[in-house]
Amino acid sequence: MLNNRSTRGALLCIFSACLWGFTGTVGQFLFQQMGISSKWLASNRMLAAGILLLIYIYWRRGKEILIFGKIKKMRKICCCSA
């Protein structure tokens, strides 16, 4: 069943929508009950997403991500976009 790309894509879309809704509920709880600021929550969510993305890329591509800084063209792109 999951071999079909359309089925897999639809299931991943439904799963991501459920997670998106769940994060809204958790965010509201953290704001109201725990007194956490929106800046703290947003920055930590972005940090966690970046770490998870790097782990996923490392799992899929191996050590290719470690040569990112050695490519002059990539350094130029990163410096100009910052």
Side-chain angles (χ1 to χ4, degrees):
M1 179 176 159
L2 289 177
N3 291 341
N4 186 355
R5 289 181 69 124
S6 298
T7 305
R8 183 177 177 201
L11 289 175
L12 287 173
C13 185
I14 292 168
F15 180 67
S16 63
C18 290
L19 286 178
W20 183 68
F22 180 72
T23 59
T25 306
V26 170
Q28 185 176 6
F29 171 78
L30 291 173
F31 296 147
Q32 291 177 352
Q33 303 297 323
M34 301 294 196
I36 291 177
S37 71
S38 59
K39 289 180 183 180
W40 183 89
L41 183 62
S43 62
N44 282 310
R45 278 177 36 181
M46 294 298 288
L47 179 65
I51 290 170
L52 289 174
L53 185 59
L54 283 175
I55 291 169
Y56 175 75
I57 292 172
Y58 185 76
W59 176 64
R60 295 287 294 196
R61 299 286 183 161
K63 295 188 178 186
E64 281 184 33
I65 63 168
L66 299 178
I67 64 167
F68 180 75
K70 295 179 183 177
I71 303 170
K72 288 182 182 180
K73 191 175 187 180
M74 290 301 227
R75 275 191 274 172
K76 194 181 273 189
I77 292 170
C78 291
C79 292
C80 293
S81 65

